[in-house]
Amino acid sequence: MSIMLMALAAAAGASPDAVVGRWKTETRNGIVEIARCGNSLCGKLQTSDGIAANPALKDVNNKDAAQRGRLLKGLQLLGGFSFKAGVWDGGTIYNAEDGKTYKARITPVDANTLTLRGCIFVPLCKNQTWTRVR
């Protein structure tokens, strides 16, 4: 069996709660806490380099001017996912750096790693690997 097939088989057997916890993002030392929200997931920004330097940092790049005064700390970045075949799909991720929301999918790789894929539209997607924070 190829490594790719083994990874897909492992993901298919993953528990829906495998992604629950605190995760370090690839950029700006972000920490996102992912929790269950009913049948879906929510992910809230706990800290980042910017928040560490200025805890009052606001969502200044939001496309909606009415939202630009909200704090980044505690801001919900992830939501709207459904779990199927080991993957959380059909959700969205908000990127505070550009103020845009993207379609997203979260795939557990192992107990301490997940892949988050954000897409403007397929095939214009970007993957990030997040690691569990203990």
Side-chain angles (χ1 to χ4, degrees), residues 44-72:
K44 293 184 179 183
L45 182 61
Q46 301 300 303
T47 192
S48 67
D49 289 339
I51 292 170
N54 177 9
L57 200 60
K58 308 266 193 235
D59 188 15
V60 296
N61 295 320
N62 197 300
K63 298 299 178 194
D64 180 353
Q67 300 292 319
R68 293 181 187 153
R70 64 187 183 168
L71 292 175
L72 287 182

Side-chain angles (χ1 to χ4, degrees), residues 7-23:
L8 289 172
S15 161
D17 291 329
V19 301
V20 171
R22 292 169 36 98
W23 298 90

Side-chain angles (χ1 to χ4, degrees), residues 96-115:
E97 291 179 27
D98 65 11
K100 295 180 182 176
T101 300
Y102 300 93
K103 294 178 183 177
R105 175 173 58 202
I106 302 171
T107 306
V109 176
D110 59 38
N112 296 307
T113 312
L114 61 83
T115 299

Side-chain angles (χ1 to χ4, degrees), residues 80-107:
F81 293 88
S82 298
F83 187 77
K84 183 176 180 185
V87 176
W88 286 97
D89 203 1
T92 59
I93 183 167
Y94 175 71
N95 180 354
E97 291 179 27
D98 65 11
K100 295 180 182 176
T101 300
Y102 300 93
K103 294 178 183 177
R105 175 173 58 202
I106 302 171
T107 306

Side-chain angles (χ1 to χ4, degrees), residues 103 117-127:
K103 294 178 183 177
R117 180 178 179 184
C119 302
I120 297 171
F121 59 86
V122 175
L124 292 178
C125 301
K126 181 178 179 184
N127 290 331

